Amino acid sequence: MPIISGKRALLEVLKQEGVEIIFGNPGTTELPLMDALAVEPGLRYVLALSEAAVMAMADGYAQASGRLAVANVHVAPGLGNALGMLYDAQKAGSPILLTAGQHDQRFNFTEPILWADLPTIARPFVKWSAEVRRLADLPRALHRAAKTALAPPTGPVFLSLPADVLNDEHDIDLGAPTRVAAGFRGDRAAIAAAAALLAVAERPVIIAGDAVAQSRAHGELAALAELLGAPVYAESVPSTASFPASHPLYRGAIPRLAAPIRAVMQQHDLLLSVGGDLFTLSLPGEVEAVPPELAIIHLDIDPWELGKNYAVKTAILGDPKATLPDLTAALAERMDASQRARAKGRAVAMQKAIVGEREALKAKGRAEAAKIPIPPLALMTAMAEMLPPNAVVIDEAISSAVGLRQLLKSNDPQSLFGLRGGGIGWGLPAAIGVKLALPDRPVVALIGDGSAMYTCQALWTAAHDKVAAVFVILNNRSYRILKQRANAMKGFAAQTDRYIGMDMTEPAIDFVGLARSLGVKAERAARLGDALGLIEAALGAPGPTLIEVELDRSYGPV
């Protein structure tokens, strides 16, 4: 075996694992890596100016590409800065190898500046966390990390890389990648039991989760929904376009509050969840989200999610793309002529109701098109109509995204990515990662002003790397979602109309000036027509563009 340094072995193993990009922000303990990259033409290093941006870029890239993403940050403070976005990546199930440089082990017992027990810090947010102590173990650790991140259910992993390990030289075996096949089919007996329940259901409903998009099972789920005659909702906090939004049975996303979820569920006698969490809530409620009489069938690739919060009649562990055809075939075999007729009748009635809901939403948005400042629904309605069919939308609009999931033509599994974890600041850098993964598709990021300020440094990376994404900053000069929630409490804030710590005024943030200072072309729009014109022009630009849109600042119920 040839003698090789740890830093060269690191890069060689990453290339074996199919890695092409490393997202990072270096410090002294990363200098061995940076030194190796100076003579490595096969890997691209994308510099971000904060660790939160590093992490979210890797997250966007991992979600959009489905491949292993690699992020590198600097010891304890760098890892700490990345944790909020690592939490988001964990919730989205993004296959990411996060690494951090660690001090030379010869003096770590003295607790040098910036040192900490890095694997312990990362462990709550990853599938596996470890520190490599010997060069001989480095290839094994890297291959194990990649295998674990990409094995179902996918998710981030963490490795601490001490400087002495990367600087060491030895004759070591670089090993080879291992992949765990994801397309495993559900248990036949469980599928048969589920089909029996579905065949006799009178008012079934389907929730589609991220696993549907991740396994590329849009067509398979649509076939089942059509046979069953059931409406399909996206899960309450989706990362993906988990079902084709233009499908006549798609009804948008389930709410995030228990009472409205229960109101939907009470209309049905059976719930089929395909890769959906049951349920992610924003706030505690006075009632349970699921009525006790509702029968539940849950298909998921993650055994932890099955029956996690609510007892299910049938739990199926399996990949949606591999398992749904079996379930559809079993259901088709069980249904008699009268059941098929009832399913067709349900489908017709449901499609009529859904068309009516969508048209009413569009009509309301169009009716508000001339208002200044721009109402959020007017902007979402107009953008859904004007964006090209192959556009990819990054959604971190928080309170301004009303109607987006119903109106947007997000019809393929890579057409929409949203903030599943809820830790704001994800969307702006994630859009850069998505664009790097999908360079031939237009990428439009809808980002709230509060969210944008968490990771605005990412704009420099977009300019530096000429990443042609469009950043639409939805500026209502406040944390509008907090005002809405505080207003709903009907407490002192609502009585006095004083919302402490929720306004970004005096001075107002100049996003156009901020973007230009970081090298990004930027414009401001106060009218809907101007905003649409700027967005359309930006879609054809060779580099990044930021468009600041002045939105209505009201915060009452929508």
Side-chain angles (χ1 to χ4, degrees):
M1 293 181 289
I3 293 177
I4 189 171
S5 67
K7 60 190 179 184
R8 290 294 306 156
L10 169 62
L11 300 185
E12 290 301 320
V13 172
L14 291 182
K15 287 190 292 183
Q16 284 185 12
E17 293 289 352
V19 174
E20 297 177 352
I21 298 175
I22 298 174
F23 299 90
N25 182 267
T28 53
T29 53
E30 287 70 53
L31 290 180
L33 168 63
M34 308 314 291
D35 187 59
L37 285 168
V39 290
E40 174 51 69
L43 288 167
R44 176 180 179 182
Y45 186 86
V46 174
L47 172 63
L49 304 187
S50 78
E51 291 86 358
V54 168
M55 194 67 232
M57 287 179 197
D59 189 357
Y61 180 87
Q63 289 196 52
S65 68
R67 300 167 62 185
L68 180 71
V70 174
N72 180 249
V73 297
H74 179 48
V75 288
L79 178 57
N81 289 340
L83 285 184
M85 298 301 103
L86 179 58
Y87 173 86
D88 287 341
Q90 179 194 47
K91 293 301 181 183
S94 301
I96 301 170
L97 168 56
L98 173 61
T99 64
Q102 178 61 286
H103 281 297
D104 189 309
Q105 295 176 92
R106 290 174 297 178
F107 79 136
N108 280 349
F109 191 76
T110 69
E111 298 188 1
I113 187 170
L114 304 177
W115 176 88
D117 183 0
L118 301 183
T120 299
I121 295 171
R123 192 161 287 123
F125 307 105
V126 295
K127 294 178 68 178
W128 181 59
S129 182
E131 183 167 276
V132 183
R133 303 291 175 83
R134 305 185 308 151
L135 174 54
D137 294 328
L138 179 62
R140 181 177 290 113
L142 291 167
H143 286 307
R144 183 184 297 176
K147 181 264 298 185
T148 302
L150 290 163
T154 58
V157 296
F158 174 77
L159 285 178
S160 171
L161 303 175
D164 56 300
V165 172
L166 296 186
N167 285 324
D168 193 10
E169 293 186 352
H170 211 278
D171 52 341
I172 59 172
D173 183 358
L174 294 182
T178 297
R179 292 290 182 267
V180 177
F184 57 91
R185 296 162 69 175
D187 177 75
R188 290 184 179 181
I191 289 171
L197 289 170
L198 290 169
V200 298
E202 293 294 334
R203 293 170 286 114
V205 61
I206 296 173
I207 290 181
D210 289 334
V212 177
Q214 290 162 355
S215 68
R216 305 294 188 260
H218 275 190
E220 289 79 3
L221 184 55
L224 178 60
E226 290 161 10
L227 175 63
L228 189 59
V232 180
Y233 289 87
E235 60 189 341
S236 56
V237 191
S239 280
T240 63
S242 53
F243 195 73
S246 296
H247 193 282
L249 287 173
Y250 179 65
R251 208 163 193 178
I254 284 286
R256 302 183 185 184
L257 299 173
I261 292 173
R262 189 182 181 97
V264 172
M265 293 297 108
Q266 284 179 328
Q267 300 172 35
H268 302 280
D269 62 352
L270 182 142
L271 165 63
L272 169 63
S273 175
V274 183
D277 66 272
L278 301 177
F279 285 97
T280 294
L281 303 176
S282 295
L283 294 170
E286 298 298 321
V287 298
E288 282 283 358
V290 172
E293 66 275 9
L294 183 70
I296 301 176
I297 300 168
H298 198 164
L299 162 63
D300 207 296
I301 202 165
D302 184 356
W304 174 254
E305 293 298 327
L306 296 170
K308 182 177 73 175
N309 293 324
Y310 304 97
V312 301
K313 294 289 187 182
T314 303
I316 308 172
L317 181 64
D319 173 73
K321 190 172 185 67
T323 304
L324 283 170
D326 291 344
L327 181 56
T328 302
L331 176 61
E333 187 175 340
R334 299 256 343 175
M335 293 176 77
D336 60 29
S338 64
Q339 289 168 339
R340 287 176 179 272
R342 287 197 297 275
K344 287 183 179 180
R346 284 196 300 265
V348 170
M350 191 56 61
Q351 289 171 17
K352 183 178 179 180
I354 290 170
V355 167
E357 291 169 359
R358 289 182 186 173
E359 291 305 316
L361 200 57
K362 291 178 185 177
K364 184 178 179 182
R366 290 167 183 156
E368 296 178 339
K371 292 183 179 179
I372 302 174
I374 303 168
L377 179 58
L379 180 63
M380 296 301 125
T381 302
M383 287 193 64
E385 293 174 347
M386 64 86 65
L387 287 177
N390 66 333
V392 183
V393 172
I394 312 304
D395 172 22
E396 195 180 346
I398 313 294
S399 66
S400 297
V402 56
L404 181 66
R405 292 270 172 173
Q406 289 167 279
L407 299 174
L408 198 64
K409 301 178 186 70
S410 50
N411 290 325
D412 71 81
Q414 294 171 300
S415 59
L416 181 67
F417 298 97
L419 176 60
R420 182 183 180 91
I424 68 172
W426 168 86
L428 199 157
I432 295 172
V434 169
K435 182 62 178 178
L436 290 172
L438 303 173
D440 297 327
R441 297 183 65 166
V443 173
V444 180
L446 304 177
I447 313 295
D449 51 343
S451 296
M453 289 307 298
Y454 274 60
T455 48
C456 56
Q457 305 93 330
L459 292 170
W460 181 89
T461 302
H464 179 74
D465 285 74
K466 298 179 175 57
V467 179
V470 182
F471 305 99
V472 182
I473 306 299
L474 307 172
N475 193 353
N476 52 43
R477 301 187 186 179
S478 67
Y479 294 124
R480 184 170 177 262
I481 185 68
L482 294 183
K483 287 189 174 183
Q484 288 178 334
R485 296 280 171 81
N487 187 54
M489 288 170 59
K490 303 186 186 302
F492 298 129
Q495 294 169 30
T496 61
D497 198 33
R498 293 187 68 226
Y499 296 86
I500 306 303
M502 302 179 196
D503 288 297
M504 289 180 285
T505 55
E506 300 179 12
I509 298 167
D510 179 5
F511 284 96
V512 171
L514 175 62
R516 289 174 179 172
S517 76
L518 294 169
V520 173
K521 178 183 177 182
E523 302 290 344
R524 182 178 291 108
R527 298 176 181 273
L528 180 59
D530 295 338
L532 297 177
L534 290 169
I535 293 168
E536 188 168 14
L539 289 171
T545 305
L546 181 143
I547 299 157
E548 179 183 350
V549 180
E550 295 281 355
L551 283 192
D552 179 16
R553 299 177 202 168
S554 62
Y555 48 84
V558 293

